């Protein structure tokens, strides 16, 4: 048997921690607490780095034991191996748990991304008001959003 079960156990722990951290991040975004947001982003990066290392370790183990073939890489090789008899129920359940947690983390991350985008747009609007930008004098950026063109009439000069 391929010794990947401890790797998936650790993956599950890390994904659970990431899910909790994403909830805390959403609260920090709602409170506009920039210090906490920066702290959380560092914690998220640590978790993601460890997940990446575990993924590399898992991949090398699967290659070593011949579960996946690097020369003939196909999607689903691991899943096919996982479902071949004798089926390891514990490992199968761990993989499913990790996949489910990953989907939850993706959804939470997407929600946080939307919240952050809205906050950035609001801050950009406030800055434009302070600068005295006119809504009529806007141009499109390469990304498809708009930005004001330079204005000589700022609130500070008024």
């Amino acid at each position: 048997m391929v010794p990947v079960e401890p790797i998936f156990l650790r993956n599950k722990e890390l994904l659970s921690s990431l899910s909790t951290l994403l909830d805390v991040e959403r609260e920090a975004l709602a409170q506009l607490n920039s210090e906490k947001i920066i702290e959380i982003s560092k914690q998220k990066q640590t978790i993601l780095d460890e997940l990446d290392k575990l993924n590399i370790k898992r991949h090398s183990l699967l290659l070593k034991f011949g579960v996946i073939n690097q020369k003939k890489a196909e999607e689903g090789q691991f899943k096919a191996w996982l479902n071949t008899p004798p089926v390891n129920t514990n490992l199968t359940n761990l993989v499913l748990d990790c996949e489910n947690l990953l989907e939850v983390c993706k959804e939470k991350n997407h929600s946080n991304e939307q919240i952050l985008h809205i906050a950035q747009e609001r801050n950009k609007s406030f800055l434009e008001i302070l600068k005295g930008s006119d809504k009529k004098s806007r141009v499109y950026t390469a990304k498809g959003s708009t930005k004001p063109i330079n204005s000589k009439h700022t609130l500070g000069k008024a």
Side-chain angles (χ1 to χ4, degrees), residues 30-42:
Q31 298 169 358
L32 301 175
N33 187 340
S34 59
E35 291 174 4
K36 193 167 187 172
I37 292 169
I38 292 170
E39 177 188 325
I40 290 168
S41 71
K42 289 177 184 175

Side-chain angles (χ1 to χ4, degrees), residues 3-140:
V4 291
E5 199 167 318
I7 293 173
F8 279 102
L9 277 170
R10 184 66 183 143
N11 272 348
K12 184 178 177 181
E13 291 171 7
L14 290 170
L15 288 169
S16 294
S17 297
L18 184 59
S19 178
T20 303
L21 203 54
L22 288 167
D23 290 335
V24 173
E25 182 183 49
R26 185 177 55 244
E27 292 172 16
L29 288 169
Q31 298 169 358
L32 301 175
N33 187 340
S34 59
E35 291 174 4
K36 193 167 187 172
I37 292 169
I38 292 170
E39 177 188 325
I40 290 168
S41 71
K42 289 177 184 175
Q43 292 173 355
K44 281 181 8 182
Q45 188 61 50
T46 303
I47 290 173
L48 292 174
D49 289 343
E50 188 172 348
L51 282 169
D52 193 40
K53 288 176 187 173
L54 286 172
N55 189 40
I56 292 168
K57 185 176 180 181
R58 177 186 56 86
H59 186 73
S60 65
L61 275 173
L62 294 175
L63 280 172
K64 179 180 176 182
F65 283 90
V67 173
I68 56 175
N69 185 350
Q70 189 171 13
K71 293 179 183 176
K72 189 179 150 188
E74 295 176 11
E75 186 72 29
Q77 286 179 343
F78 174 68
K79 289 280 190 156
W81 172 81
L82 194 59
N83 293 323
T84 56
V87 176
N88 183 344
T89 312
N90 288 339
L91 183 58
T92 304
N93 289 338
L94 268 175
V95 170
L96 288 174
D97 289 346
C98 287
E99 287 175 347
N100 291 337
L101 278 168
L102 182 61
E103 286 303 315
V104 167
C105 287
K106 284 180 180 180
E107 289 173 12
K108 288 180 180 182
N109 190 56
H110 182 69
S111 295
N112 290 355
E113 177 188 1
Q114 296 296 337
I115 293 168
L116 185 60
H117 178 72
I118 291 168
Q120 287 174 335
E121 289 297 319
R122 184 184 64 228
N123 288 343
K124 190 166 68 170
S125 295
F126 289 155
L127 183 61
E128 288 174 13
I129 290 170
L130 288 174
K131 285 183 173 182
S133 298
D134 186 4
K135 289 209 180 244
K136 294 177 185 175
S137 41
R138 300 176 70 74
V139 294
Y140 284 101

